[in-house]
Amino acid sequence: GWVFPKYDHVGVGTGTVVNRPAIKQYQKAIRDRAGDKIAGGKIIKVEAHPIPEHYRPRRVQGRMALVGDAAGYVTKCSGEGIYFAAKSGRMAAEAIVKLMEGGKRLPTQTEIERTYIADYDKLYGPTYTVLDILQKVFYSNNGAREAFVELCNSKYVQQVTFDSYLYKKVQGNNPLDDLKLLGETIGCLIKGYAIAEPDAEFSNPVESLK
């Protein structure tokens, strides 16, 4: 869930990849948790959108290139999308302008794939991979989420998280600290599974498989 302060209002929202029909229940829970921060306010708009956190199978077709949400560039774990939308748009535009050679020619699909797509994947592909793994490990159940919360007490985790979010690429690269973090992760997962309450049961197999 999230609470985003804006110019003259607050955006309160929730997201789910498992139990979509329960989204209204989740929305009420995050509003209740926000409590005094939104007390006295009124709902001015209710809207919902799918969050495209998977690369589209085909991001270039002919001379059409997808960027941002259209290309599936939302990151997992954080749902970050604005930066990657702007960055991919700029990279696509710069690549296409260069390929056009001052307006003398039109770029082909293969050329756009070899420039814009290849450059984007090289720059940010590892970030998407790491966040995908983190989401699968820590967002799967209550025990894993408890482990993630405890891990966030680590100064190293806080620093790596802050730097990675700031620079939009996976940071760290300290072998000794990374090895210690692996041990802490295993320990936190064991503890988390031991103390966490079981996940609430729901029957929604069709949505769960999407």
Side-chain angles (χ1 to χ4, degrees):
W2 58 86
V3 179
F4 290 153
K6 300 188 178 181
Y7 174 69
D8 60 354
H9 64 282
V10 175
V12 181
T14 52
T16 179
V17 295
V18 178
N19 190 12
R20 280 178 267 188
I23 195 68
K24 290 184 178 180
Q25 176 185 341
Y26 300 151
Q27 289 171 345
K28 181 181 183 304
I30 195 67
R31 287 197 298 270
D32 291 344
R33 182 162 185 170
D36 294 341
K37 296 178 181 178
I38 59 173
K42 64 178 181 179
I43 299 175
I44 57 177
K45 186 192 332 187
V46 177
E47 56 186 3
H49 306 281
I51 301 177
E53 57 176 22
H54 299 281
Y55 277 14
R56 292 293 176 262
R58 180 174 295 175
R59 289 172 281 164
V60 180
Q61 178 63 46
R63 295 196 304 273
M64 178 186 69
L66 300 180
V67 300
D69 284 10
Y73 288 157
V74 173
T75 58
K76 296 188 178 183
C77 287
S78 67
E80 167 80 21
I82 296 175
Y83 173 86
F84 295 101
K87 185 66 174 181
S88 61
R90 184 183 184 95
M91 291 180 69
E94 290 177 344
I96 292 170
V97 167
K98 185 175 181 179
L99 289 169
M100 291 179 66
E101 298 177 359
K104 297 178 182 178
R105 58 186 298 275
L106 293 174
T108 66
Q109 176 176 329
T110 300
E111 289 174 329
I112 298 174
E113 290 173 338
R114 289 177 177 173
T115 52
Y116 154 55
I117 296 296
D119 291 344
Y120 187 89
D121 289 350
K122 180 179 179 181
L123 189 60
Y124 296 113
T127 298
Y128 287 96
T129 298
V130 169
L131 292 177
D132 184 26
I133 293 172
L134 288 177
Q135 180 163 298
K136 289 176 179 176
V137 171
F138 291 112
Y139 286 25
S140 57
N141 55 62
N142 284 337
R145 287 186 284 272
E146 289 288 349
F148 185 68
V149 170
E150 183 168 347
L151 269 179
C152 289
N153 288 325
S154 165
K155 294 294 184 182
Y156 182 64
V157 170
Q158 293 172 17
Q159 187 64 54
V160 169
T161 301
F162 178 81
D163 290 344
S164 298
Y165 190 82
L166 180 64
Y167 299 109
K168 308 305 178 186
K169 290 192 288 186
V170 178
Q171 305 294 309
N173 301 319
N174 185 321
L176 180 58
D177 285 336
D178 290 341
L179 186 60
K180 290 169 58 178
L181 179 58
L182 176 61
E184 291 175 1
T185 300
I186 295 174
C188 288
L189 284 170
I190 293 174
K191 181 179 178 181
Y193 277 97
I195 67 173
E197 296 181 3
D199 286 17
E201 294 185 9
F202 64 89
S203 179
N204 191 12
V206 175
E207 289 288 335
S208 299
L209 293 174
K210 288 183 179 179

